[in-house]
Each structure stands twice: as C-alpha cells, then as structure tokens.
Amino acid sequence: MTVHQPPYPASGAVPPPLELPYYGAPPVEAVKRVFQKYAVFSGRASRSEYWWWFLASALASAVLNSIGPTVVNGQPTGTSGLGGLWFLATVVPGLAVAARRLHDVNLSAWLLLLALIPVLGWIALIVMLAQPENPGGQRFDRYPTAYGQPPMAPPYNPPQPPYPPEPGGPASA
C-alpha cells in the first residue's frame, strides 16, 4: 500500500509540523506533540504518536496511583489524589490523540464512543487504533502550505472542466 506522506527531514533534523502526523516518532517527541496539541481533535496522529503517549500515560498513572492510595472505610481503593489529578489533566489530550489516530486510519472519531461498551467495544477500539495508516485519512488534514511543504492533493478527484471545451482553449490546439 502506498501512503502519500510528505518527505520528512533526515533523523536528527527538525520534526514535521504539528499539522501533519509524525510517522516513526520517538517517545519523547510523541508525548510532547500530544501536549502541544492538547485539545486538537482535527488532523491525524501516527501509530507511534498514539502508542508512545498511551504507554507514557499508563506508566505515569501507575506510578502516581501507587504513591499513597486513597483509603475508604479502611480499604485502599487503588487510586490516589495524584492519580486523579493526572487523569483530569490527561483525559482531554488522550481523547484528542485517539480521535486523530482514528482519522489517520480514515475512521470517524465518533467511534471513540465504542469505549462505552464494556469489553467488546474496548477490543474493537484497540483493533482500530492499531491499524496502519490509510491514505484516505488525508481528508481530515487542513492541507498546510507553510513550512516549505507543497500542498497535499485532496483524496478525491477535483471537478472536471465543463464540456465541450471553449473554442481557442488548450484542447482545440
């Protein structure tokens, strides 16, 4: 499968602009990009961006929840105040990067509502988030022309000129 992707600079150079997915993003850069696009639900996110964020967020949550779990009626709950604050701080960027990841697979972000269905919905959502990128997902881009990138062609055919061609036009030569 051929994927239309702008040529990114060689490794060690400047990463692609935030408007474009960063395929092969390193872990630190992936987490930074999620926080830089805190509540941006449009556009696309690569698999590496999403899964590095997921891993970092899960590890941070585990560490914060293991520090002094909350005790209710003499029983530890498994969560802590710090874990609750982490959840509140990361629920919006987590949903946003998941929505952008679904866009990269050329699916609607409304499919995130599958998370409301216990077990089967979660499994279906994980499978969708793990899919490779789909060129049709470019329809969710804003076609940036800045940053020295040529504008990307839309994923559909533009309208054709009216026929018959006008006399004296390029077809009559």
Side-chain angles (χ1 to χ4, degrees), residues 47-156:
R47 267 194 294 195
S48 58
E49 283 180 81
Y50 177 77
W51 290 109
W52 282 124
W53 162 254
F54 183 85
L55 178 66
S57 180
L59 288 174
S61 180
V63 167
L64 291 173
N65 282 321
S66 68
I67 300 173
T70 304
V71 177
V72 176
N73 295 330
Q75 298 292 323
T77 62
T79 61
S80 69
L82 290 175
L85 288 176
W86 175 256
F87 172 77
L88 289 175
T90 59
V91 68
V92 172
L95 289 172
V97 73
R100 292 192 310 268
R101 177 70 202 124
L102 287 173
H103 288 169
D104 194 42
V105 182
N106 195 23
L107 296 172
S108 171
W110 286 104
L111 289 171
L112 285 174
L113 293 174
L114 287 174
L116 298 175
I117 302 170
V119 185
L120 293 178
W122 305 336
I123 292 170
L125 195 54
I126 288 170
V127 167
M128 286 184 259
L129 291 169
Q131 294 295 311
E133 61 273 1
N134 184 333
Q138 291 178 8
R139 67 188 173 114
F140 296 102
D141 286 345
R142 295 189 181 184
Y143 308 111
T145 57
Y147 311 107
Q149 299 285 344
M152 290 188 261
Y156 55 86

Side-chain angles (χ1 to χ4, degrees), residues 26-50:
V28 174
E29 185 65 30
V31 173
K32 281 184 2 186
R33 287 172 72 89
V34 169
F35 279 116
Q36 288 172 339
K37 295 164 74 169
Y38 191 87
V40 177
F41 287 81
S42 62
R44 298 180 293 152
S46 68
R47 267 194 294 195
S48 58
E49 283 180 81
Y50 177 77

